[in-house]
Amino acid sequence: MQVDELLKPFPIKEFHPFPRALMGPGSHELIGPEALKMGFKKTLVMTSGLRGTDIVHKIVESMKYHGLEVVVYDKVESNPKDYNVMDAVGLYQQNHCDSFVSIGGGSSHDACKGARVSVAHDGRNVNEFEGFNKSENPANPPHIAVSTTAGTGSETSWAYVITDTTTDPDNPHKYVAFDDASVTSLAIDDPVLYYDCPIDFTAQCGFDVLAHASEPYVSRLNFEPSLGNALHAVKLTSQHLRQAVWNGQDLAGREGMMYAQYIAAQAFNSGGLGIIHSISHAVSAFYDTHHGLNNAVALPRVWAFNMPACYGRFADIAEAMGVDTRGMTRPQAADAALAASIRLLRDVGIPERFADVTQSSYSKNRLGQGPTKYYENSPAIIGDAADVDRITNHVLGDACTPGNPKECTFETVRPVVEHSINGDLDDLLT
Ligand SMILES: [Fe+2]
C-alpha cells in the first residue's frame, strides 16, 4: 500500500528505519576502515565540491590511504537536478564502481541516494522513482554519507529531493521521493566538518532543522514515537543555532546543532512533514533558492496558519523554545512560539520574505557555483499574482502537504504563499 493512501484516514502508522551512525568530533576519520569493513573497493564520491575547503580532498586521500580506489563527481548542484544524478550514474557505470560516498549537505546526499536507486535499476532515469517506495530492486550499492552541514538529515532519512528538469521550463517540478531502499548504509556526522560552513548557510540549514522538528510535532500523522525527538530537536535548535551561526568554531554550538538535525530528521522520517516543506520545494523549483532559506521564510507564516488546528502542540513548542508559558492560555503560548521563531530568524540574519531574497544573494547560495544551466536566465523572485498561483498549485501537489495539520486548499494556502513572498513578519505578531 502506498503511504499517500494511508495518509488519508491515517489508520496505520509506519516506522521507517534509520542507518547506523558514527557521531562526534573526529568521526569522519573512520571512513576508510568503515568502507573496507563494508567491502568497498572502488567508490564514487558525490559532492558539490565544497570549494574553499579541503574537506573533499582530505576524505578522498584518507580513503586512498586505506587502499580504496576513488572516482569523484563534484558537480552536484544546490537543489540537485536530475541531470546531476544521471551524470553520476554514468560515471559510476563507466568506472565499474561498487559503492558510494556522499560528502556535503542534503544536495549531495539526495543526489547520491537517487543515483543508487537508478544504478539498482540498470540506470533508469531517477525521475521514474518519484513517490513512495517506488524501488523495485532494494539491493542497491552501499553508501556512506558524510555531512558537512547541520540541516538536511538526509544521511539518516528515507527521503531524497530532486528537481525534474524534463518538465515545461515555465513550470519546473521539484519532488520528494520517499524510499526505504534509499536509506544510507552509514551516516557520519562530525561537527568539526561544520566549522567551514558559512554563516548564512548555517542559519538557513538551522531553519531546515526547525522545520523538520516542528512539522512532525503538529502533523496529522500524530506519530507518537516521533513526538519526543521532534520537541527535543526544537529545544536543541533554540539553544544552539545562534551560537553555531555567530561563533562557528565553537564546538558546543556545532555539536548541539548536529544532534538537533539528526534527531529532527528521525522525527519526520516516520512522523511526516507539512507545507513549510511544500512551499520550500515549490519556490526552489521555480527559483533554485536554498531549501533552508525557503523553510525559514515560510515557517512563521505556516505556523500562524496551522495554529488554530493545534494550539496545544504549539504551546509545547513555545516551552521547548525557552518561553515561560506559565499563566498563558494555549493560544497565547502558541503566539509566543511564533514570536520566538521570528526572533530566532532575525537573530541569525535571514531575509524576512521571498521578495527580499535578491538574485545575488541566492546565486551565492548555489554552493558558490553561480546560476546553474537550468536557471541561468531565471529572474529574481517575481511574486505577482500569476507567480503566487503557480507556487500554490505546486504546493498542493507536494508529497508533504497531506501531513499538514490544517486542511489545504487553493483558497486557504494561497494567502500563506502570498504572505511568504510579499508580507511583513510584523503582521503575524499583532
Ligand atoms: Fe528539509
Side-chain angles (χ1 to χ4, degrees):
M1 184 179 272
Q2 291 292 297
V3 173
D4 50 353
E5 292 169 41
L6 298 175
L7 283 173
K8 287 170 191 155
F10 301 108
I12 297 170
K13 321 284 183 182
E14 182 172 3
F15 178 83
H16 301 282
F18 316 124
R20 181 171 158 253
L22 294 170
M23 310 186 79
S27 53
H28 78 277
E29 294 178 6
L30 298 175
I31 189 162
E34 288 293 330
L36 288 175
K37 218 158 65 179
M38 292 161 66
F40 287 25
K41 289 193 171 52
K42 191 170 189 180
T43 302
L44 182 70
V45 169
M46 289 181 66
T47 178
S48 65
L50 302 170
R51 289 165 182 81
T53 80
D54 61 355
I55 292 173
V56 175
H57 171 75
K58 281 201 315 207
I59 291 177
V60 167
E61 289 308 309
S62 170
M63 292 174 68
K64 287 181 181 169
Y65 173 79
H66 286 278
L68 296 155
E69 282 188 81
V70 180
V71 178
V72 177
Y73 176 80
D74 66 355
K75 294 183 176 54
V76 176
E77 296 166 2
S78 180
N79 303 307
K81 316 300 182 294
D82 45 12
Y83 55 78
N84 295 146
V85 176
M86 299 319 297
D87 288 351
V89 168
L91 203 57
Y92 182 95
Q93 292 171 328
Q94 192 185 321
N95 285 281
H96 306 289
C97 296
D98 57 20
S99 47
F100 284 95
V101 163
S102 54
I103 307 170
S107 299
S108 295
H109 299 334
D110 287 4
C112 194
K113 288 157 88 172
R116 280 171 45 229
V117 169
S118 169
V119 162
H121 296 80
D122 300 323
R124 273 167 57 192
N125 193 290
V126 65
N127 296 331
E128 293 180 33
F129 302 95
E130 173 184 356
F132 293 95
N133 275 328
K134 288 290 172 67
S135 275
E136 294 155 20
N137 174 16
N140 56 47
H143 173 188
I144 300 176
V146 185
S147 291
T148 61
T149 66
T152 171
S154 179
E155 78 282 8
T156 195
S157 83
W158 72 312
Y160 61 97
V161 188
I162 302 293
T163 300
D164 178 350
T165 63
T166 64
T167 55
D168 170 8
D170 293 329
N171 198 21
H173 178 53
K174 182 175 183 178
Y175 63 85
V176 193
F178 293 96
D179 194 333
D180 286 321
S182 77
V183 174
T184 67
S185 316
L186 174 67
I188 295 182
D189 281 300
D190 186 337
V192 171
L193 297 184
Y194 305 168
Y195 285 2
D196 288 327
C197 188
I199 286 176
D200 52 354
F201 271 151
T202 301
Q204 293 162 16
C205 292
F207 265 81
D208 193 19
V209 176
L210 195 57
H212 291 164
S214 62
E215 294 211 289
Y217 195 67
V218 301
S219 165
R220 284 186 175 204
L221 271 77
N222 194 28
F223 188 61
E224 289 284 344
S226 285
L227 301 183
N229 272 351
L231 210 52
H232 191 54
V234 170
K235 184 177 177 182
L236 287 175
T237 304
S238 303
Q239 286 175 338
H240 293 291
L241 183 57
R242 291 175 179 86
Q243 196 180 1
V245 168
W246 296 117
N247 186 6
Q249 305 288 309
D250 179 86
L251 181 61
R254 292 295 194 182
E255 194 164 29
M257 285 309 300
M258 176 195 79
Y259 282 114
Q261 75 109 24
Y262 181 74
I263 65 173
Q266 297 195 338
F268 87 70
N269 206 44
S270 303
L273 291 168
I275 64 166
I276 297 174
H277 270 79
S278 307
I279 292 173
S280 180
H281 297 152
V283 175
S284 293
F286 292 115
Y287 293 109
D288 208 21
T289 43
H290 185 268
H291 176 68
L293 167 65
N294 294 356
N295 283 345
V297 172
L299 184 142
R301 281 84 181 188
V302 174
W303 280 17
F305 172 69
N306 281 332
M307 271 178 193
C310 44
Y311 281 122
R313 290 291 168 94
F314 280 103
D316 295 342
I317 288 173
E319 210 169 313
M321 295 184 82
V323 176
D324 183 354
T325 59
R326 286 174 298 181
M328 292 183 184
T329 64
R330 287 183 158 202
Q332 285 170 338
D335 283 344
L338 178 59
S341 76
I342 293 172
R343 177 67 181 266
L344 181 59
L345 182 146
R346 287 175 168 165
D347 281 353
V348 297
I350 286 175
E352 300 200 4
R353 54 187 186 156
F354 287 120
D356 294 340
V357 178
T358 61
Q359 179 79 6
S360 62
S361 74
Y362 68 86
S363 291
K364 193 171 70 169
N365 276 331
R366 291 164 170 157
L367 307 179
Q369 296 174 7
T372 63
K373 70 178 181 189
Y374 189 64
Y375 289 92
E376 60 193 352
N377 298 317
S378 75
I381 291 173
I382 302 169
D384 62 9
D387 200 27
V388 175
D389 285 352
R390 66 179 186 156
I391 291 171
T392 303
N393 282 322
H394 196 292
V395 169
L396 294 174
D398 193 284
C400 299
T401 298
N404 197 70
K406 194 165 161 188
E407 189 69 29
C408 293
T409 64
F410 186 85
E411 288 69 30
T412 59
V413 170
R414 193 183 186 284
V416 183
V417 172
E418 165 73 46
H419 198 279
S420 300
I421 297 175
N422 297 310
D424 187 337
L425 278 180
D426 287 327
D427 299 346
L428 306 178
L429 295 171
T430 53

